[in-house]
Amino acid sequence: VGSTFKPIVYAQAISQGIAPCNYFQNTLVSYPKWDDWQPRNSDGQNGGFYSMAGGLSKSINTITVEVLFQAGNDPVRKLAKEMGISSNNPEGPAIALGAMEGSLYEMIQVYSTFANRGKHQPLYYIEKIEDANGNVLYEHTLEEARKVIEETDAD
């Protein structure tokens, strides 16, 4: 899943009132509770500050992990599930960086929830099956979309 998971972290933070213009320090931090795990940035660089918007747009790992700690691991995991991730979401902070098993199907559901302005609509493959005479053998019943995040937060 990797960095495609990051928007879920930021969406949960925004829904909790953390503003996109809030700044976080880009420092290499060791987390003793998690076996001294250190999230590293892909470019190997640290230093300076990034807003949440900058952290997401530049895919800065250290910022995303700090945003996860602000938003809370459990609320992020819950939102991921509500947006369509049914795979097991690990509890550690590495989830912020997408260190989990997940399918393309699940991530399509997540991103379609963003595109639907915060409403989750389960995906389906087949709308209708008819036989050669036009008799309907199967027709998908569309479930009502569930609002999982506010429209402005999804935007």
Side-chain angles (χ1 to χ4, degrees):
V1 172
S3 290
T4 62
F5 189 89
K6 290 177 181 178
I8 301 168
V9 175
Y10 288 92
Q12 181 60 40
I14 289 169
S15 74
Q16 291 180 6
I18 301 171
C21 58
N22 279 14
Y23 278 81
F24 294 86
Q25 193 168 6
N26 178 21
T27 58
L28 184 61
V29 176
S30 179
Y31 296 95
K33 181 179 177 182
W34 304 101
D35 296 325
D36 291 323
W37 177 70
Q38 291 183 316
R40 298 182 187 277
N41 296 322
S42 62
D43 64 2
Q45 301 295 309
N46 293 100
F49 291 83
Y50 283 86
S51 65
M52 283 201 329
L56 177 58
S57 67
K58 302 244 187 253
S59 194
I60 306 294
N61 291 340
T62 56
I63 303 301
T64 305
V65 171
E66 284 303 310
V67 171
L68 173 79
F69 280 116
Q70 290 277 322
N73 195 300
D74 288 338
V76 168
R77 291 173 65 225
K78 182 177 183 261
L79 179 59
K81 184 175 178 123
E82 290 174 347
M83 293 179 85
I85 294 182
S86 57
S87 298
N88 185 23
N89 296 332
E91 291 186 27
I95 191 174
L97 309 180
M100 59 173 284
E101 294 293 324
S103 69
L104 176 60
Y105 176 79
E106 290 171 310
M107 294 313 295
I108 290 170
Q109 290 192 94
V110 168
Y111 278 80
S112 69
T113 302
F114 284 121
N116 288 330
R117 302 195 72 206
K119 291 183 181 176
H120 175 72
Q121 178 74 57
L123 302 177
Y124 59 95
Y125 296 106
I126 300 172
E127 189 165 317
K128 185 177 1 179
I129 300 173
E130 296 178 355
D131 66 14
N133 298 319
N135 298 313
V136 177
L137 303 174
Y138 169 82
E139 189 163 7
H140 177 76
T141 304
L142 193 60
E143 297 176 37
E144 189 170 327
R146 285 181 298 109
K147 181 178 174 180
V148 296
I149 55 175
E150 295 297 322
E151 289 179 1
T152 54
D153 298 343
D155 292 347

